[in-house]
Amino acid sequence: MNPILVAVDVPTADDARVLAKTLGDSVGGLKIGSQLFTSVGPSIVREMVTAGHKVFLDLKFHDIPNTVAGSVAAATDLGVWMCNVHATGGAPMLTAARDAATARAAALGTPKPLVIAVTVLTSMDAATLATVGVSASPLDQVVRLATLVKACGLDGVVASPLETAAIRQACGPDFVIVTPGIRGGAAQAKADDQNRTLTPREAIAAGSSYLVVGRPITAAQDPRAAAEAINAELTTSR
Ligand code: C5P
């Protein structure tokens, strides 16, 4: 499939509709995060799923296992293609998330959503990690958590472009790695608030399965052309 997941970081349902319609099949899926979900609610997820889009529901659940299981089951009810939790919830929470997706999808007779985990937020550096009691380097912590996520039977992780190669090496070829922080190459945009970036082609070469691309597409004058240019760059490098 087309590996581009566009970050639908817009404030209203109408903005989301226009963007999804404009992009059509120039992207592989839509990432709906906490901004749109909190302002508009689950109806926009249902609407996009019904319209035939693959939706990555990026709500990063982090709670006790029972609550996360309920949230993942609810995401499965919405028909999302992928959803996520925080790896630091630990093994009991991770396995509860996995089991909830499996059980609810089986009950509905629908495909199980991919359940992936956030390892270390890319906004956290070594100093910030130390303030929350983690003395490991960000890279070591990411690989440790990715290994835990895999051992718990989840489908993959979200990771910064600079951690992708180490995760791919530790977790093998079938582990899903979703990578934001895409800038440069055909993804022309300001770095914005992204510090550690790779171009689309570099990220795929490092082992990313899917690229989360926001403003290089959404803030472009012609979002569809921007998505197609990234696709073309990836296709010619394969
Ligand atoms: O506009 P941009 O391409 O920077 O959008 C990246 C998207 O990926 C945003 O929705 C952002 O919240 C998300 N994201 C990120 N870094 C992470 C996790 C998610 O940029 N570590």
Side-chain angles (χ1 to χ4, degrees), residues 7 9 31 58 60 121-122 158 180-181 183 194 212-216:
D9 294 327
K31 183 178 84 74
D58 178 23
K60 303 183 178 71
L121 292 170
T122 49
V158 185
R183 289 295 184 279
Q194 298 285 10
V212 170
V213 185
R215 288 158 292 182

Side-chain angles (χ1 to χ4, degrees), residues 142-238:
V142 165
V143 172
R144 171 188 315 190
L145 288 172
T147 306
L148 173 69
V149 168
K150 182 166 188 227
C152 291
L154 275 71
D155 299 290
V157 290
V158 185
S160 102
L162 303 189
E163 292 144 5
T164 297
I167 297 167
R168 179 60 69 217
Q169 203 177 11
C171 297
D174 299 329
F175 200 59
V176 170
I177 304 178
V178 176
T179 311
I182 303 299
R183 289 295 184 279
Q188 287 305 332
K190 295 181 294 182
D192 301 306
D193 46 359
Q194 298 285 10
N195 293 319
R196 299 184 294 154
T197 65
L198 286 184
T199 70
R201 188 185 299 202
E202 287 168 342
I204 293 289
S208 291
S209 317
Y210 302 103
L211 309 178
V212 170
V213 185
R215 288 158 292 182
I217 292 174
T218 57
Q221 266 197 341
D222 184 342
R224 187 174 179 108
E228 281 170 351
I230 295 173
N231 237 324
E233 175 180 305
L234 295 176
T235 310
T236 56
S237 66
R238 272 186 201 135

